């Protein structure tokens, strides 16, 4: 089953350990079961399983881990609250319940990707299991360096795949499935970028009356970018102060930093309507503007049939620059993602078009300016508004899905032990508690649990969103992107040129599209990708592509239609009706 090198790495057999300890096999089994009972009673609650069902699930892990007891396994993820809980609590629980010595390292996201690239390029094992964004799905299935979880579960991992894993219960499994129909990553946590707003301000009769008088429609959740812009202008220029405090109608960040690229690769163009219809990502052109034909990327420039520098993308970038200059706090332009994240919690921001739900836990702390005394928030989250190029059937926002990934270069025995841990931290025994701690749900059963119903009033719309039919329009980067690490690093430097005014949005995006095409051309020539490698289109006049159906779409005569809003309560009612 396991290769010979692996056998040598861990030569102390279970029998030898038992002999040295003086304990019988039955006593050892009882010790692991006692550990499982302890953790069920003290930590793993609430759960969608009964305590009896939890114990049965953990008994399977105890039995399956027998060949791996005493092994030292190392896994890694980025540093967010969910993974901190895994590293500090669940890794310890797993070690006590299984006898596998599990270390779960936490690194910054960029460091995780860098080390992952190193293992892919060198085939030398660095970690036995990785949690990395499903944004790399296009990278993983093309290079042939990543283990197909579908194949793992059917072959060498068959006896080590939990009968209660319940793949269909994972709400993000379509995001980790490649064009070949195989699953390459197992979702571990996910969070969306949504519209955030001060519901208490939006309900004030005086502000509602002033807005209606000026704009001719109700102050409410913006359905389109026109309304978002009107609301931003209203709070920044007309209201200006609330309770003696300067307020702003918009928040963003603009410092030249890798995180500036995330702002755009994550969702900015898709919200505006860049790319084509299709879920989880547009086909043939996705929200990065990359066109694929028969799974092969063929270009991102408009002259190759792409949309990275098309009118929708230029419109989106122009609005990004204008809104930050006109309606955000002056310091926003010099902030990074992490620096700007806490700003809305300080109480002077009316709305934010693109806000990660990963900040929910930090935004609900008692005593914040945006929290009521009873523990309920003064703010709410809702679907982000859509731009003028957006059409029904397109994705509308981004969802981060950190997912377990295994490399073919990892020795089989270590890989299988890490696979057990991946299943453990996503199991129904622990997943609901993990969801409550980190607010990054992965299972349908957890989302629909009574525990989440009880928690919903304190989470500002998070539970309602994940239970809504709208959820499917929020998706990660898809399979069109052939090498996420190499292409993603291009975005922040080019977007920064537009943010600083060094170049116009059109000039900045022309440069980005050209550089993306250059990398994809090199990938085509190198023949480094085992499947679905780029096959670049020749350049031709842009008008040819504008005349074709779908993306790239020609420039609209009117990029600011009349603003449209919806009452938040009516929005919730429509979601509830759609669920029935």
């Amino acid at each position: 089953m396991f290769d010979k090198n692996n056998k040598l790495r861990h030569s102390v057999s279970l029998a030898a350990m038992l002999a040295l300890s003086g304990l019988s096999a039955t006593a050892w089994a009882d010790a692991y079961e006692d550990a499982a009972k302890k953790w069920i009673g003290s930590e793993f609650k609430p759960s969608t399983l009964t305590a009896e069902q939890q114990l049965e699930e953990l008994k399977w892990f105890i039995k399956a881990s027998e060949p791996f007891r005493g092994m030292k396994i190392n896994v890694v993820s980025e540093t967010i609250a969910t993974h901190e809980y895994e590293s500090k609590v669940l890794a310890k629980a797993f070690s006590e319940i299984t006898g596998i010595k599990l270390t779960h390292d936490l690194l910054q996201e960029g460091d995780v990707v860098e080390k992952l690239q190193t293992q892919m390029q060198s085939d030398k094992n660095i970690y036995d299991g990785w949690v990395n964004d499903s944004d790399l799905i296009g990278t993983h299935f093309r290079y042939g360096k990543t283990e197909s979880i579908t194949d793992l579960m059917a072959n060498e991992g068959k006896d080590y795949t939990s009968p209660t894993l319940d793949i269909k219960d994972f709400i993000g499994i379509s995001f980790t499935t490649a064009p070949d129909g195989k699953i390459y990553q197992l979702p571990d946590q996910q969070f969306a970028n949504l519209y955030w707003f001060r519901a208490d301000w939006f309900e004030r009769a005086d502000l509602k009356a002033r807005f209606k008088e000026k704009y001719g429609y109700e102050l409410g959740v913006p359905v389109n970018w026109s309304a978002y812009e009107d609301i931003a202008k209203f709070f920044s220029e007309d209201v200006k102060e609330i309770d003696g405090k300067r307020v702003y109608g918009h928040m963003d960040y603009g410092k030249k930093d890798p995180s500036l690229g995330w702002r755009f690769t994550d969702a900015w163009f898709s919200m505006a309507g860049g790319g084509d219809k299709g879920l989880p990502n547009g086909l043939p052109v996705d929200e990065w503007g990359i066109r694929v034909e028969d799974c092969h990327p063929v270009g991102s420039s408009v002259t190759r049939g792409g949309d990275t520098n098309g009118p929708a993308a230029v419109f989106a970038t122009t609005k990004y620059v204008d809104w930050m200059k006109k309606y955000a706090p002056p310091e926003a332009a010099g902030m990074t993602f992490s620096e700007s994240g806490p700003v809305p919690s300080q109480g002077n921001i009316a709305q934010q078009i693109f806000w990660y739900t990963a900040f929910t836990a930090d935004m609900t702390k008692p005593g914040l300016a945006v929290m009521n005394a009873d523990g309920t928030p003064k703010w709410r989250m809702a679907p982000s508004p859509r731009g003028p190029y957006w059409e029904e059937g397109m994705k509308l926002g981004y969802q981060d899905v950190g997912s377990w990934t295994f490399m073919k270069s990892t020795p089989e025995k270590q890989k299988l032990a890490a696979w057990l841990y991946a299943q453990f931290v996503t199991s129904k025994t622990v997943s609901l508690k993990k969801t409550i701690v980190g607010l990054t749900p992965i299972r349908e059963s957890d989302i629909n649990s009574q525990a989440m119903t009880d928690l919903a009033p304190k989470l500002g719309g998070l539970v309602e969103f994940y239970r809504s039919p709208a959820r499917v329009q929020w998706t990660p980067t898809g399979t069109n992107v052939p090498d996420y690490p190499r292409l993603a690093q291009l975005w922040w430097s080019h977007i920064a040129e537009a943010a600083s005014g060094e170049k116009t949005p059109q000039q900045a995006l022309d440069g980005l599209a050209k550089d993306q095409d250059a990398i994809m051309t090199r990938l085509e020539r190198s023949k480094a990708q085992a499947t679905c490698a780029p096959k670049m289109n020749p350049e031709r006049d842009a008008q040819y592509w504008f005349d074709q159906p779908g993306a790239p779409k020609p420039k609209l005569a009117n990029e600011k239609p009349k603003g449209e809003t919806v009452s938040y309560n009516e929005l919730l009612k429509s979601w509830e009706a759609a669920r029935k």
Side-chain angles (χ1 to χ4, degrees), residues 423-491:
Q423 294 175 86
F424 174 77
V425 297
T426 59
S427 68
K428 291 181 181 180
T429 290
V430 308
S431 62
L432 178 54
K433 176 62 181 289
K434 190 175 83 170
T435 294
I436 290 171
V437 171
L439 300 177
T440 57
I442 55 171
R443 286 188 176 272
E444 193 83 50
S445 55
D446 292 336
I447 291 166
N448 292 317
S449 67
Q450 184 60 46
M452 295 306 288
T453 298
D454 296 341
L455 200 56
K458 295 186 177 182
L459 299 182
L462 179 71
V463 175
E464 290 83 351
F465 169 77
Y466 271 106
R467 289 178 174 177
S468 80
R471 182 185 76 203
V472 299
Q473 293 176 310
W474 274 255
T475 71
T477 296
T479 58
N480 285 24
V481 181
D483 190 318
Y484 182 92
R486 290 186 187 179
L487 293 172
Q489 68 183 3
L490 300 175
W491 285 65

Side-chain angles (χ1 to χ4, degrees), residues 194-500:
L194 297 174
Y195 173 71
W196 180 96
F197 70 107
R198 284 292 297 271
D200 57 336
W201 292 353
F202 278 47
E203 289 300 318
R204 279 181 48 164
D206 58 332
L207 297 181
K208 289 170 71 74
R210 288 174 64 185
F211 186 85
K212 177 74 177 288
E213 180 180 1
K214 180 168 184 176
Y215 293 101
Y217 59 96
E218 298 293 337
L219 177 60
V221 175
V223 174
N224 58 14
W225 280 27
S226 299
Y228 183 85
E229 186 171 63
D230 289 345
I231 295 168
K233 181 180 176 68
F234 174 70
F235 278 99
S236 293
E237 297 184 359
D238 296 329
V239 178
K240 290 186 179 179
E241 285 190 4
I242 293 179
D243 300 327
K245 190 173 186 178
R246 177 72 167 101
V247 299
Y248 297 90
H250 175 64
M251 182 59 203
D252 215 319
Y253 62 93
K255 186 174 181 178
K256 188 175 183 179
D257 176 82
S259 65
L260 184 59
W262 308 341
R263 190 73 169 163
F264 281 75
T265 58
D266 282 357
W268 200 254
F269 292 172
S270 67
M271 290 192 296
D276 275 313
K277 296 179 183 179
L279 294 173
N281 303 87
L283 284 173
V285 183
D286 71 354
E287 71 276 11
W288 282 47
I290 297 175
R291 174 180 286 270
V292 297
E293 294 173 3
D294 190 27
C295 91
H296 298 280
V298 297
S300 62
S301 298
V302 170
T303 51
R304 299 182 192 268
D307 203 16
T308 304
N309 58 337
V314 172
F315 165 80
T317 307
T318 301
K319 288 302 177 186
Y320 159 76
V321 174
D322 289 350
W323 291 347
M324 187 158 57
K325 287 180 178 178
K326 294 178 180 178
Y327 310 127
E331 59 270 21
M335 286 184 167
T336 65
F337 165 78
S338 57
E339 292 166 344
S340 68
V343 171
S345 69
Q346 296 166 10
N348 66 334
I349 305 297
Q351 60 170 1
Q352 188 163 353
I353 193 171
F354 179 117
W355 178 82
Y356 288 97
T357 61
F359 290 124
T360 304
D362 291 332
M363 195 72 79
T364 54
K365 291 179 179 176
L368 288 177
V370 294
M371 291 295 291
N372 293 311
D374 64 358
T376 58
K378 297 176 181 179
W379 54 267
R380 297 291 185 272
M381 59 182 82
S384 295
R386 50 186 181 254
Y389 291 87
W390 191 88
E391 299 177 76
E392 201 67 48
M394 297 176 70
K395 72 175 285 183
L396 187 49
Y398 175 78
Q399 196 154 181
D400 183 291
V401 184
S403 305
W404 284 100
T405 309
F406 302 94
M407 296 290 105
K408 290 181 178 178
S409 53
T410 298
E412 185 178 299
K413 194 170 183 181
Q414 291 160 247
K415 185 187 307 175
L416 291 174
W419 169 235
L420 286 177
Y421 178 66
Q423 294 175 86
F424 174 77
V425 297
T426 59
S427 68
K428 291 181 181 180
T429 290
V430 308
S431 62
L432 178 54
K433 176 62 181 289
K434 190 175 83 170
T435 294
I436 290 171
V437 171
L439 300 177
T440 57
I442 55 171
R443 286 188 176 272
E444 193 83 50
S445 55
D446 292 336
I447 291 166
N448 292 317
S449 67
Q450 184 60 46
M452 295 306 288
T453 298
D454 296 341
L455 200 56
K458 295 186 177 182
L459 299 182
L462 179 71
V463 175
E464 290 83 351
F465 169 77
Y466 271 106
R467 289 178 174 177
S468 80
R471 182 185 76 203
V472 299
Q473 293 176 310
W474 274 255
T475 71
T477 296
T479 58
N480 285 24
V481 181
D483 190 318
Y484 182 92
R486 290 186 187 179
L487 293 172
Q489 68 183 3
L490 300 175
W491 285 65
W492 63 277
S493 57
H494 286 287
I495 297 300
E497 292 175 337
S500 67

